[in-house]
Amino acid sequence: WSSLTTITIGNSVTSILYKAFYYCSKLTNFYFYGTKEPSYGSGVFYDCSSLKTIYVPTTYTDDDETKFCDYSFEIKKELTPM
């Protein structure tokens, strides 16, 4: 996990579990193409200090980045759901 720079999640994912991407320190971008917002466990991106942007579909309604982790990053609504 520690060498991942980009993660892409398709529309079949309905939940992302507790600390799913724990310590992916090189992760900079996360793409979520789902048509429905998944449920999140706490600390999904815990210790992902390089994470800059989470890309989500234009239909995404939740802007609460605090549920992901305690780092500052941007949520961009610009993807077309798959």
Side-chain angles (χ1 to χ4, degrees):
W1 289 109
S2 62
S3 63
L4 289 174
T5 58
T6 300
I7 294 173
T8 301
I9 303 290
N11 65 357
S12 62
V13 174
T14 58
S15 64
I16 300 175
L17 302 177
Y18 170 77
K19 291 188 179 180
F21 304 109
Y22 173 74
Y23 200 64
C24 290
S25 59
K26 295 181 183 175
L27 180 65
T28 55
N29 296 301
F30 180 83
Y31 297 86
F32 177 71
Y33 284 93
T35 55
K36 183 178 179 193
E37 296 166 31
S39 60
Y40 297 96
S42 63
V44 171
F45 296 108
Y46 183 79
D47 224 357
C48 295
S49 55
S50 296
L51 183 61
K52 302 295 180 214
T53 310
I54 291 180
Y55 296 89
V56 297
T58 55
T59 56
Y60 196 81
T61 59
D62 192 346
D63 290 329
D64 180 14
E65 62 191 48
T66 60
K67 73 171 134 197
F68 297 108
C69 65
D70 57 352
Y71 296 103
S72 178
F73 56 85
E74 181 178 11
I75 295 177
K76 289 190 176 181
K77 298 178 186 179
E78 57 185 45
L79 301 178
T80 301
M82 291 180 161

